[in-house]
């Protein structure tokens, strides 16, 4: 369509064009991992009542060395009337402090004998008073506590829960439809003469699921323009992003680009300058996005990691910038590279240095990423890159499967 | 119970004692992110038939400069009989190569005129033959392709799908029950005199969900030994790990340890040498695990991150070792630290150096982790740690919310 973009240019374009989806109110439990889309001010003070920081004794007015024990306040309980002079009550961490309390005596410092309480030594009234946590000490009513754009991790979720929020407005994850295109494809296990399983769908669905994205997978469709167009059209009404896989070449039966045109798509790019996977089409139809991934497994997955995961992040209001780490090649790689190449590798940290070993080089598209946890970024060039060269790489952080950047030295 | 363990010792103990859960067969789509528990040998060859690598022409025996075009083989199709001498068929990427084919002529090199095909220049028969992908070229039937212990990321899932696997045997994630303990706790939004919302449950559930763990949360239970014991007992039959939150102190109403004893638990440790959150109890009952987290929000979350997430990893057959990164404090921190302290901080990469800014210091337990993406590991000591000191930190990688270790320089 136009000149071939560099990867960074393609990302930059996505960053400009892929705006966060409209805010959505979701139950708090579903908000984790999403980005906040509203300013949160606290509707209440926290704690909502003065409470004891420790297990001990709430002491009534005018500090003395001896008190009458008149009751007990467990957490969740209460004491019905104000403490009078010389009165004390047993109290526990988190329990509401009775009116009239001037301080809390920690239980380690107290001597209890029947209904009498002795202070065995002089204690500082300021220390005792400091053991009462005041109303609003942690958070004041009306205080601004969270701002739009913050990712909601467990502490933010806990804070919102503590302030009584049952729902919160977030940038939702895009909903995704996955369609494999190719007359040679069948559902797994449905072996037929001249067909192969539609395996990319499973790999892509796995990646989306690990990122917490809701995905709808559809049975593979044959190379047939009309069929493909009507399928894409029907899915565009239901989801934010339709991803097809296969048919992005320029052959007689490569219908992806033509189908995108038929549904009225505006193309962002149809090719990006890297291998494998540079033959990726990204387009939009109104506010919806269309991605055409190449059908070769390694190409589909690399393009997905380098461009589609960032697109999804952008739609969810997150930072889409790539993560580059630095490492050292442990073996010579590459012959002539007419384009930038992303090479599957195993990154292993040895005494603070990332050692990168290419995996399954020259083993075919299906095996390309097996056992890999990194993509090494190789510039174009006419000669091999010698071992020991420092290179950039991108960790393949699939959900909790993150390569650890520094070896632990504790021999666990 | 015994001497207080260091964090690394506690992890080491978990690593010894928490064995991976028994293998389980799961549908392929649910296996992503889990660890493989069987050796996979391929039941088929891949590709299962010889196929064309490119769009072009399959050429019949005895290479010449001119052929008769006798048909077409799209992907998923086939050609009914062997190619005879001088015969060629139009063929597309991935389509099965007819019997008798000696090579594929790429379409860019061919001249087609009516039913005749011309080779405009001399071509090397070895090159043409290499464009036929042979049966089993990527994977041979019976070939060992995946070994137990491998994490299943998208490429492995794709490979398994391509070979026709609909199910695979993995180490499952543990199932977890979450119970908040405290008479002062109520479900969110049920404000009552002297009570606060059971917020830790939401935070912990969020963390578990982001790690892909199935979790069952229960309404908060009051500080009541009998009640707690029967609740724990009933959950132990249903899940692999029961986590309580609250009541791990040594006060009159701290029933966690006593409840664990009542259900016949064997304690691994009842305290670990760090703050906040060192007052964590880990025990087991037969093959099930019991964790008692402290009730203070920051303590619960730090202990959860430092010990419970690793325990869950070990049960799922994954590496539990912590990730240490190195960074620089941008401000002085700490007064006297009798114990090792893990400090919530914001890690920001500035020209390859991680700058660590403590967040919400001294702001109370609820705000402690807000906006943080790292825990800084501070050793015990009697004086503050000056700014510019190099320290270890642990990234708070909640699912896809990973701090990026190197700033991108491309101005995207």
């Amino acid at each position: 369509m136009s000149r071939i973009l560099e990867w960074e240019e393609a990302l930059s374009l996505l960053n400009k064009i892929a705006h966060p989806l409209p805010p959505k109110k979701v139950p708090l439990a579903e908000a984790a991992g999403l980005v906040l889309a509203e300013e949160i001010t606290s509707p209440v003070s926290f704690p909502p009542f003065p409470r004891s920081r420790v297990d001990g004794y709430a002491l009534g007015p005018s500090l003395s060395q001896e008190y009458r024990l008149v009751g007990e306040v467990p957490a969740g309980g209460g004491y019905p009337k104000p403490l009078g002079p010389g009165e004390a009550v047993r109290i526990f961490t988190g329990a509401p402090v009775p009116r009239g309390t001037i301080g809390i005596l920690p239980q380690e410092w107290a001597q209890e004998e029947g209904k009498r309480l002795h202070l065995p030594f002089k204690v500082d009234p300021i220390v005792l008073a400091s053991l009462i946590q005041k109303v609003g000490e942690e958070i004041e009513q009306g205080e601004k506590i969270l701002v739009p754009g913050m990712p909601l991790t467990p502490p933010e979720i806990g804070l919102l829960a503590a302030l009584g929020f049952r729902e919160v407005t977030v940038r939702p994850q895009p909903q995704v439809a996955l369609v494999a295109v190719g007359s040679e494809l069948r559902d797994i296990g449905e072996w037929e003469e001249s067909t192969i399983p539609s395996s990319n769908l499973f790999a892509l669905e796995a990646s989306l699921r690990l990122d917490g994205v809701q995905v709808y997978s559809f049975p593979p469709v044959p190379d047939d323009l009309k069929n493909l167009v009507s399928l894409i059209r029907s899915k565009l009404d239901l989801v934010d992003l339709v991803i097809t896989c296969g048919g992005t070449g320029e052959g007689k039966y490569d219908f992806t680009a033509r189908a995108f045109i038929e549904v009225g798509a505006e193309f962002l790019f149809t090719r990006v300058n890297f291998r494998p996977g540079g033959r990726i089409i990204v387009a939009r139809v109104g506010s919806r996005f269309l991605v055409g991934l190449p059908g070769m497994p390694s190409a589909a997955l690399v393009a997905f990691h380098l461009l589609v995961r960032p697109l999804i992040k952008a739609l969810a209001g997150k930072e889409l910038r790539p993560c580059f780490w630095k490492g050292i090649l442990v073996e010579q790689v590459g012959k002539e590279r007419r384009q930038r190449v992303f090479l599957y590798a195993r990154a292993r940290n040895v005494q603070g240095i990332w050692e990168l070993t290419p995996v399954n080089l020259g083993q075919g598209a299906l095996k390309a990423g097996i056992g890999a946890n990194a993509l090494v970024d190789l510039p174009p060039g006419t000669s091999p890159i010698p071992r020991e060269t420092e290179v950039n790489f991108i960790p393949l952080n699939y959900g909790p499967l993150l390569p650890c950047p520094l070896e632990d030295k504790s021999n666990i």
Side-chain angles (χ1 to χ4, degrees), chain A:
Chain A
M1 302 275 149
S2 55
R3 95 187 154 81
I4 298 180
L5 299 182
E6 292 302 318
W7 178 43
E8 285 79 0
E9 292 174 311
L11 285 174
S12 187
L13 192 59
L14 292 180
N15 200 30
K16 272 199 213 87
I17 287 177
H19 301 297
L21 295 173
K24 192 180 165 189
K25 206 167 250 244
V26 298
L28 189 58
E30 294 168 22
L34 302 180
V35 166
L36 187 65
E38 61 176 327
E39 181 176 282
I40 301 283
T41 55
S42 184
V44 295
S45 295
F46 196 93
F49 48 85
R51 56 181 190 173
S52 179
R53 293 188 203 276
V54 295
D55 288 359
Y57 300 86
L59 306 180
S62 61
L63 189 62
S64 73
Q65 294 304 109
E66 196 159 310
Y67 287 85
R68 264 173 301 124
L69 260 180
V70 297
E72 180 175 297
V73 195
Y79 189 70
K81 46 183 190 163
L83 292 185
E87 289 182 342
V89 292
R90 186 83 171 97
I91 197 166
F92 296 90
T93 309
V97 166
R99 276 170 297 147
T101 301
I102 59 156
I104 311 289
L105 180 71
Q107 64 186 14
E108 308 83 274
W109 296 356
Q111 286 173 357
E112 192 184 322
E113 283 181 34
K115 290 286 169 205
R116 305 209 73 77
L117 180 71
H118 303 276
L119 277 61
F121 47 83
K122 288 269 179 206
V123 290
D124 183 342
I126 294 171
V127 170
L128 300 183
S130 74
L131 296 175
I132 303 172
Q133 193 185 29
K134 293 188 194 71
V135 172
E137 194 180 289
E138 293 202 33
I139 288 149
E140 283 178 50
Q141 189 172 14
E143 184 182 338
K144 190 198 293 187
I145 48 165
L146 298 175
V147 294
M150 286 186 85
L152 297 172
T153 71
E156 288 84 15
I157 298 290
L159 173 61
L160 288 165
L163 301 177
F165 286 88
R166 299 172 109 145
E167 293 181 316
V168 66
T169 304
V170 295
R171 297 290 173 180
Q173 290 264 40
Q175 298 202 319
V176 175
L178 271 182
V179 180
V181 183
S183 297
E184 76 281 24
L185 301 175
R186 293 292 178 277
D187 271 337
I188 297 189
E190 296 181 2
W191 295 105
E192 264 179 65
E193 185 76 17
S194 313
T195 69
I196 57 169
S198 171
S199 62
N200 286 338
L201 236 59
F202 274 78
L204 296 170
E205 190 178 334
S207 185
L208 289 162
R209 282 197 185 193
L210 288 173
D211 285 342
V213 174
Q214 200 178 344
V215 50
Y216 305 93
S217 275
F218 296 94
V221 295
D223 296 309
D224 173 291
L225 180 61
K226 217 173 131 190
N227 204 338
L228 185 56
V229 167
S230 74
L231 188 78
I232 292 174
R233 206 167 258 148
S234 68
K235 299 316 162 219
L236 276 174
D237 290 338
L238 305 173
V239 297
D240 306 294
L241 169 60
V242 176
I243 302 174
T244 67
C245 191
T248 61
E250 282 151 16
K252 180 176 172 189
Y253 290 102
D254 287 320
F255 290 117
T256 304
R258 280 175 273 175
F260 285 11
I261 291 170
E262 290 268 323
V263 300
E266 174 194 348
F267 287 73
L268 304 187
F269 46 85
T270 56
R271 216 160 162 180
V272 182
N273 193 23
F274 63 79
R275 289 196 62 194
R279 209 177 263 276
I280 173 179
I281 303 172
V282 176
R284 65 178 173 174
V285 187
S287 64
R288 312 301 168 91
F289 280 80
L290 265 173
V291 169
L293 289 173
M296 183 89 81
S298 51
L301 281 174
V302 170
F304 186 82
H305 185 77
L306 295 181
L307 287 164
V308 187
R309 289 177 85 192
L311 169 60
I312 288 171
K313 280 181 156 183
L315 292 172
K318 295 173 188 164
E319 178 68 70
L320 61 50
R321 295 206 293 178
C323 253
F324 284 116
W325 301 16
K326 288 215 178 284
I328 301 287
L329 287 171
V330 301
E331 53 188 67
Q332 170 181 305
V333 291
K335 296 178 250 174
E336 193 189 36
R337 297 169 309 283
R338 267 181 261 177
Q339 286 179 284
R340 180 179 189 175
V341 168
F342 286 99
L343 191 71
Y344 274 117
R346 181 89 209 151
R348 209 168 66 95
N349 199 299
V350 180
Q351 298 181 316
I353 306 288
W354 280 103
E355 293 188 351
L356 299 160
T357 312
V359 294
N360 304 315
L361 262 182
Q363 292 283 305
L366 272 180
K367 277 191 196 162
I370 303 306
N373 62 0
L375 283 173
V376 179
D377 184 3
L378 302 180
T382 50
S383 53
I385 299 177
R387 61 191 292 270
E388 304 291 331
T389 304
E390 189 183 67
V391 288
N392 284 334
F393 71 98
I394 298 164
L396 292 167
N397 58 320
Y398 292 116
L401 299 169
L402 171 74
C404 177
L406 262 180
E407 284 288 274
D408 172 43
K409 297 143 289 182
S410 54
N411 286 320
I412 284 158

